[in-house]
Amino acid sequence: MKTRVVYGFAALMILLSSTACGQTEPAPDNQASAPKTPEPVVLTVYQQAEISDEDFQLLFVEPVKKKYPYIDLKLVRLDKGVTLDNLVISGEVPDILTPPHSGVLELSQKDILFDIAPLVKQANLDLNRFDPVTIDAVRSDKGELWALPYAMQFNALYYNKDLFDKFGVEYPKDGMTWDEAIELGKKMIRNEGGIQYRGLDPVSSYILSFPFSLTYVDAKTNKASFNNEQWKKVLELTQSILTIPGNELKSTEPGAATQGNLFIKEKNVAMLASTNLMAQIGSAATGINWDIAQYPSYKEKPNISGKLDTHNLAISKTSKHKEEAIKVLEVVTSDEVQLLSARKTARMSPLKNPEMQKQFGAEVPYLQGKNIQAIFKSTVSPGPIYSPFEVDGKKIAQAKVRELLAGNVDINTALRQADEEINKMLETKK
């Protein structure tokens, strides 16, 4: 009997104790345990690589908003009054930058970038999805990861089908060497009805140098690197094309965009060997009956169309929203958005996924029926390391090349004088 009383008393005390605990510490309900909705964030994106408002909405704004509704993106365009240097001085560096491969090192040396590897790991981004050369190109020699690639440049040989039909000459073929392309171009050079028809426009010695991965300034020594045998070979090819009577370069300031406009508007160029001008040529309101062939090769560089040239996404060191910014990089480099980019905007993806190549341009009306796979028959040489003064060196060297094409200097003199002027410029920069 005594035992039963003690047992009953103990049970009562346990019951009362648990009831009291339930009264003083109520269990949290589902609403209290739900994660908080993140505060809205506006991230600024600085436009360095060319991108239209429509493509920015398609590849950046809309997919980011779909996955992360609280993140808004604002594009800051490069303009006369809006330069990155000005933004740095004013303390308004954008959250996300879009440098080409050639500009990544300069930004890192200006202390604008930082190693995003920890953020990439935190976001579980798989770098093995990328072509290894594209990731190597945005790493420092110490292994720091400055950016992620979201598109790759490519070269192609664009040609005017109507001109070839008009003059009864066979269309360009994939796999041509430069010698073969020059001979084909010569067949198209003529003056008819007061119109001078040019056979082949290679745009500039700069683009022709891509397969050799050349630079104007050595990044390790910060000395001129123009006066050498490889650059000589490039200038010899440039001169051999652009001094053919009737095939001289019309524009005094050669550039892919400028020559692309002449190819479209004047319709007097049979072949244009250039970078990705598909959107410019294909969507031109004036219309042009065009197609592409594989970019011509140097004999010693078969099927090498250029050098690695990526468009990248980097996060600024001063951004107050680094964790949100890495989410933007995650979305834009995702398989879903990359496939969308390849299908709808004809951008070459840095991802290894073969679907990017198979479906390239599938939803671009002006690419239907074109020899699109020609661009995938070539590969690229490794991207060089660029000096922060590469652009300055390029301006000097290109001015000297124009003197060469005008017949004012010979090749050896052009190379020597350009090196001397570049080195003088570098001394002032130091």
Side-chain angles (χ1 to χ4, degrees):
M1 185 69 179
K2 189 174 183 179
T3 303
R4 290 178 183 172
V5 171
V6 172
Y7 176 81
F9 180 78
L12 178 61
M13 293 303 294
I14 292 173
L15 178 62
L16 292 173
S17 174
S18 64
T19 302
C21 290
Q23 291 173 343
T24 57
E25 297 183 20
D29 56 27
N30 291 334
Q31 186 175 359
S33 62
K36 293 182 179 180
T37 303
E39 292 292 326
V41 172
V42 177
L43 300 181
T44 50
V45 181
Y46 184 63
Q47 174 253 325
Q48 290 163 283
E50 189 63 36
I51 187 169
S52 66
D53 290 339
E54 294 78 13
D55 286 357
F56 184 68
Q57 288 290 322
L58 179 71
L59 305 178
F60 287 74
V61 176
E62 293 172 4
V64 168
K65 195 73 174 175
K66 180 180 177 182
K67 186 165 185 179
Y68 300 106
Y70 59 95
I71 298 179
D72 286 306
L73 299 178
K74 177 185 177 183
L75 185 62
V76 179
R77 288 199 177 277
L78 173 66
D79 199 359
K80 291 182 179 179
V82 183
T83 67
L84 189 55
D85 287 340
N86 289 344
L87 293 171
V88 170
I89 293 171
S90 65
E92 298 177 355
V93 180
D95 299 286
I96 297 174
L97 307 167
T98 60
H101 170 230
S102 59
V104 171
L105 180 63
E106 180 180 0
L107 292 180
S108 66
Q109 291 188 341
K110 288 184 175 181
D111 203 29
I112 293 174
L113 306 183
F114 70 103
D115 184 6
I116 65 171
L119 286 177
V120 167
K121 184 177 181 180
Q122 179 182 322
N124 292 319
L125 285 174
D126 183 8
L127 297 184
N128 292 320
R129 297 166 48 248
F130 294 81
D131 186 326
V133 296
T134 66
I135 295 297
D136 290 343
V138 289
R139 285 194 189 277
S140 72
D141 52 3
K142 297 178 182 178
E144 297 152 313
L145 184 65
W146 300 126
L148 289 181
Y150 73 94
M152 294 173 64
Q153 188 59 276
F154 61 82
N155 287 1
L157 183 66
Y158 305 85
Y159 64 93
N160 186 323
K161 296 176 72 173
D162 286 342
L163 291 186
F164 280 89
D165 293 340
K166 179 182 177 71
F167 301 135
V169 179
E170 290 187 4
Y171 297 152
K173 298 178 180 179
D174 295 340
M176 290 192 301
T177 64
W178 277 111
D179 288 342
E180 292 170 331
I182 290 171
E183 290 306 309
L184 180 60
K186 286 179 179 178
K187 295 179 181 179
M188 299 296 293
I189 299 173
R190 62 194 73 196
N191 192 305
E192 287 192 8
I195 299 175
Q196 179 62 52
Y197 292 99
R198 300 177 58 225
L200 175 62
D201 187 342
V203 179
S204 71
S205 59
Y206 173 61
I207 294 178
L208 289 175
S209 75
F210 286 2
F212 295 103
S213 297
L214 300 178
T215 61
Y216 298 98
V217 178
D218 187 303
K220 294 182 179 180
T221 64
N222 268 330
K223 295 286 186 181
S225 57
F226 192 56
N227 188 8
N228 56 56
E229 288 302 312
Q230 287 185 319
W231 267 116
K232 183 176 182 179
K233 180 180 289 293
V234 170
L235 295 196
E236 287 172 344
L237 177 60
T238 307
Q239 188 179 47
S240 70
I241 298 172
L242 294 178
T243 57
I244 300 172
N247 199 60
E248 295 87 356
L249 193 64
K250 181 172 182 179
S251 172
T252 57
E253 295 184 5
T258 301
Q259 300 313 113
N261 283 331
L262 293 177
F263 179 80
I264 296 166
K265 293 179 180 178
E266 301 195 9
K267 298 183 177 66
N268 66 336
V269 176
M271 296 181 287
L272 175 65
S274 188
T275 53
N276 183 3
L277 299 177
M278 287 183 176
Q280 182 181 349
I281 294 173
S283 60
T286 54
I288 184 170
N289 186 16
W290 65 284
D291 206 341
I292 63 170
Q294 184 182 1
Y295 192 78
S297 302
Y298 289 90
K299 287 182 179 179
E300 63 271 41
K301 294 278 188 178
N303 298 313
I304 302 294
S305 62
K307 61 183 175 182
L308 181 71
D309 183 8
T310 53
H311 295 165
N312 306 286
L313 296 172
I315 302 173
S316 66
K317 190 174 184 178
T318 55
S319 173
K320 297 178 181 178
H321 306 290
K322 294 182 176 67
E323 292 190 2
E324 289 80 10
I326 196 65
K327 287 179 168 60
V328 175
L329 272 61
E330 166 218 323
V331 171
V332 177
T333 62
S334 67
D335 280 51
E336 179 183 359
V337 175
Q338 285 292 299
L339 190 57
L340 183 71
S341 176
R343 288 179 61 87
K344 290 196 171 187
T345 75
R347 282 178 168 82
M348 185 178 284
S349 174
L351 301 186
K352 293 186 293 185
N353 187 339
E355 287 300 312
M356 308 299 167
Q357 177 176 330
K358 291 179 184 177
Q359 299 190 41
F360 187 88
E363 296 184 51
V364 180
Y366 55 78
L367 293 184
Q368 304 315 303
K370 306 297 184 187
N371 182 27
I372 296 302
Q373 293 304 310
I375 65 175
F376 298 106
K377 292 181 178 180
S378 297
T379 56
V380 294
S381 60
I385 300 174
Y386 293 97
S387 162
F389 310 111
E390 178 70 10
V391 174
D392 300 296
K394 177 183 175 182
K395 290 177 182 177
I396 294 171
Q398 287 293 301
K400 197 59 64 176
V401 172
R402 287 195 287 274
E403 289 186 39
L404 168 68
L405 296 177
N408 297 330
V409 294
D410 59 33
I411 288 179
N412 290 328
T413 302
L415 291 167
R416 177 177 52 78
Q417 289 182 350
D419 253 28
E420 291 172 354
E421 292 180 27
I422 291 172
N423 282 326
K424 287 180 182 179
M425 175 273 296
L426 292 170
E427 285 297 322
T428 62
K429 295 290 184 180
K430 289 179 183 179

